[in-house]
Amino acid sequence: MPGSPHVVIIGAGIVGANLADELVERGVDRVTVLEQGPLPLTGGSSSHAPGLVFQTNPSRTMTQFARYTVEKFSGLDLDGDWCFNPVGGLEVATTPERLADLYRKQGWAASWGVEARVVDPDECVRLHPLLDRDRVLGGFHIPSDGLAKAPRVVAALVRRAQGRGVQFRGSTRVTGIEQTGGRVTGVRTPDGVVPADVVVCCAGFWGRRVGAMAGMAVPLLPLAHQYVRTGQIAELVGRSDERTEASLPILRHQDQDLYFREHADRLGIGSYAHRPMPVRLEDLVEDREVTASAMPSMLPFTEEDFAPSWEQSRLLLPALASTKVEEGFNGIFSFTPDGGPLIGESPDVAGFWIAEAVWVTHSAGVARAVAELLTEGRASLDLHGCDVHRFEEVQLPDDYVEETSTQNFVEVYDVLHPLQPRLSPRHLRVSPFHRRQEELGAVFLEAAGWERPHWYEANAPLVDQLPEAWVPPERDAWSAQFWSPVAAAEAWRTREGVALYDMTPLKRLEVTGPGALALLDRLTTGKMDKSVGSVTYTLALDEAGGIRSDLTVARLGPDRFQVGANGNLDLDHFRRHAPADVQVRDITGGTCCIGVWGPLARDLVQPLSREDFSNEGLRYFRAMPARIGGVPVTAMRLSYVGELGWEIYTSAEYGLRLWDVLWAAGQDLGVVAAGRAAFNSLRLEKGYRSWGTDMTTEHNPYEAGLGFAVRMQKGEFVGRDALAGIGAGSVDRRLTCLTVDDRRSVVLGSEPVYLGGRAAGYVTSAAFGHTVGAPIAYAWLPASATPGTAVEIEYFGRRIPATVAAEPLVDPEMARIRR
């Protein structure tokens, strides 16, 4: 790529070295890497990392990052010495709860294409003879996991990249980021400014400081983590030498927050069982001499914190009774509010990027993704869970980052339910209806700082009134967590009466100005030049035709649009592309929304307003200003539960009044408040997709069943060229509706789906369909899986029969929603 931009990478650890290598592999011919420590042993987290690579993760993206890391490191060596040792991985269970979770992990592995299996105690001991057979109930074995020798990997990558023209400058501290006109121009060092067109911060736990130099908030917390090496263990003598280092699989004892790896005839032990130890960067000795056993990222060992872990280690591995802890340290690495990496470009300084909070396990995969972003404008993997802009403003302050990151450290090895909410901080964002919801016994879960009702205990008496066909079956203990049969009653009242749903937490953007129409037309797949009052369901694509979001766009004036979005990533996307004559505002916090849905919705709303809420007065997918009980609102004829009704918006100051007016008027109609549990069930019965769960940038509209939202004839829009020649009949895979044959078996998502006895796809969303009386799952499957095809879903190690169904399952004629 002659004449390519000059890329300056800050940090020559495992991420920076990988990124330099990935960039030159793609033809970027001007790359400089600045490192404050000496090369190649920089003194950062990579220099002391134990190098365990466990690939299986609840996130498909994180698993693919790790798979690529294994693949890449397996092809590296340094002067004939290994960079990756594929000894395999073994997680052991010492409690029934952990054993059940290992079967769940086996499902993730099958979903994401990693060979793995749950093994019995005898097999655990065969794989790792130091284990106490009587303490182990089973294990999870991944043959392709292994050890990455991080310092050696860095040295090998530096050497290879240097051979391709990359300049590495060690012992060079970054003191500032130069910028002009909102674009990065260079990196300041004590030796002068290094010119740059693109800067990528891969500074590890120093990333927050470097980000601040560019005015970018990096939600990252450095934490210390204990690691020790034992003395010689007789049972390990002769198994491995100093060169091979390990032959036993890396071992995780997650019930006690411990992991183990060989160092020839010794063991290394890492612990997350100790108290969290946040690290202040200003307390570190930055100019400390770097050696293999002493570096700025290695803090003094606190023996008292490790004592309980040592006792637990000796119980699991009796051979440790003959040795002792010979050395230890508290090593620094990075945590984030949700445990994910941080990838993205500054919203204010074009060309300044970060790739932070990345562990060795995912390092090569993250580096490849960032290199793709810089050279192709998109990554081949979905990155929405890694994008630094996924966080809301309330999640960026230091106290929030420290509390949530610390909690992630505590829970890193815990068995966590997919719906499990954080306990603190809570009540950061509440809708104007929150007081009324509490009075109705709302059970709140949390997302993006919002308190979101999942069901209301006030509706519990309705469970006894459910018609027989609506009575939900008993659930297993796992799927019954964070669920209640009250959700069935709320779904029933929505389908047969009327319900109020709090839709306030859904992101709302206001796009205004002379260029607003042109901007939205260019960034979405739908026709935007419609009459005032029109509402359009549309998609935002990337250049390759991948779905970066789905949106509802309401034209409220000639140059004023309200966009129903999926989150902060949409706000960032629109702002980056908005010209000077367009303003993009997040209006979520200043507004609120009630979904009034059900066959009696018009009976509730019309008497409260002088505007015409008849089918003729406000057609489906139209909006109008109105007053309801004197409250000024915008009513949009939309329904994501598949019933007659409206999304009714007003400013936050009127929210409580609006709720009270609707609630009082609905008493004679049997109105109920309904939560997200019922909402999710009803939307799946209608086949409505959830972006980020059901589809991402890895899927095009036709695969996702959303081809109807693409208006190719409207002219140019982002992603249009990539969709040329593609249609619903030409795709190889589809998002497919499944009904589970056993109505007592409710899956939750990410489970593998077997077709013809082989893993062929995975579940995205799932819920019990209260209207149809059966569990529903959506899954990515080969296009050959047509309605009537029998499949199986693996749920905690057992296969559950299911059937491909035509969608939507409820009201395919759309008669209920249009009446």
Side-chain angles (χ1 to χ4, degrees), residues 4-17:
S4 58
H6 184 191
V7 179
V8 174
I9 299 169
I10 300 173
I14 196 83
V15 181

Side-chain angles (χ1 to χ4, degrees), residues 56-69:
T56 307
N57 190 285
S59 160
R60 180 180 180 278
T61 295
M62 297 299 283
T63 300
Q64 298 308 316
F65 283 160
R67 290 185 69 186
Y68 181 69
T69 299

Side-chain angles (χ1 to χ4, degrees), residues 154-177:
V154 170
L157 290 172
V158 168
R159 181 182 297 179
R160 185 161 78 181
Q162 285 176 325
R164 295 174 171 181
V166 175
Q167 294 185 22
F168 284 82
R169 294 170 54 176
S171 302
T172 302
R173 183 165 299 165
V174 170
T175 59
I177 304 298

Side-chain angles (χ1 to χ4, degrees), residues 744-805:
R744 296 167 299 176
S745 300
V746 180
V747 300
L748 297 181
S750 298
E751 297 89 355
V753 181
Y754 288 78
L755 180 62
R758 301 183 63 178
Y762 58 91
V763 172
T764 58
S765 295
F768 189 86
H770 299 290
T771 315
V772 298
I776 306 166
Y778 271 76
W780 282 101
L781 287 175
S784 59
T786 54
T789 302
V791 298
E792 293 178 308
I793 302 172
E794 183 180 319
Y795 182 68
F796 286 90
R798 63 187 178 95
R799 301 282 180 87
I800 300 171
T803 305
V804 176

Side-chain angles (χ1 to χ4, degrees), residues 683-755:
R683 70 104 181 161
L684 283 176
E685 291 181 329
K686 286 297 295 180
Y688 294 144
R689 278 64 167 144
S690 174
W691 184 84
T693 302
D694 295 319
M695 72 278 191
T696 68
T697 53
E698 295 185 30
H699 312 105
N700 72 48
Y702 302 103
E703 294 171 326
L706 298 175
F708 66 87
V710 178
R711 296 288 182 266
M712 295 291 285
Q713 66 274 21
K714 80 166 186 172
E716 291 301 315
F717 58 85
V718 174
R720 183 180 188 274
D721 292 345
L723 298 184
I726 301 176
S730 62
V731 298
D732 296 325
R733 60 177 178 174
R734 288 195 182 96
L735 185 61
T736 305
C737 180
L738 308 177
T739 54
V740 178
D741 297 355
D742 179 0
R743 71 189 304 265
R744 296 167 299 176
S745 300
V746 180
V747 300
L748 297 181
S750 298
E751 297 89 355
V753 181
Y754 288 78
L755 180 62

Side-chain angles (χ1 to χ4, degrees), residues 385-399:
C386 307
D387 194 308
V388 65
H389 303 297
R390 66 189 181 271
F391 297 107
E392 297 287 331
E393 185 176 359
V394 72
Q395 298 172 303
L396 296 177
D398 290 354
D399 55 352

Side-chain angles (χ1 to χ4, degrees), residues 120-192:
D120 63 21
D122 290 333
E123 181 67 4
C124 290
V125 174
R126 189 192 70 78
L127 291 165
H128 203 295
L130 271 61
L131 285 166
D132 182 346
R133 163 68 174 75
D134 293 337
R135 292 189 176 275
V136 176
L137 301 181
F140 177 55
H141 182 226
I142 313 94
S144 57
D145 285 350
L147 292 168
K149 191 76 169 177
R152 197 176 289 165
V153 169
V154 170
L157 290 172
V158 168
R159 181 182 297 179
R160 185 161 78 181
Q162 285 176 325
R164 295 174 171 181
V166 175
Q167 294 185 22
F168 284 82
R169 294 170 54 176
S171 302
T172 302
R173 183 165 299 165
V174 170
T175 59
I177 304 298
E178 298 285 308
Q179 52 181 292
T180 300
R183 171 164 286 280
V184 72
T185 58
V187 178
R188 196 181 318 129
T189 75
D191 300 323

Side-chain angles (χ1 to χ4, degrees), residues 6-10 30-34 187 194-196 198-201:
H6 184 191
V7 179
V8 174
I9 299 169
I10 300 173
R30 294 193 297 160
V31 179
T32 301
V33 183
L34 306 178
V187 178
V194 181
V198 175
V199 174
V200 186
C201 177

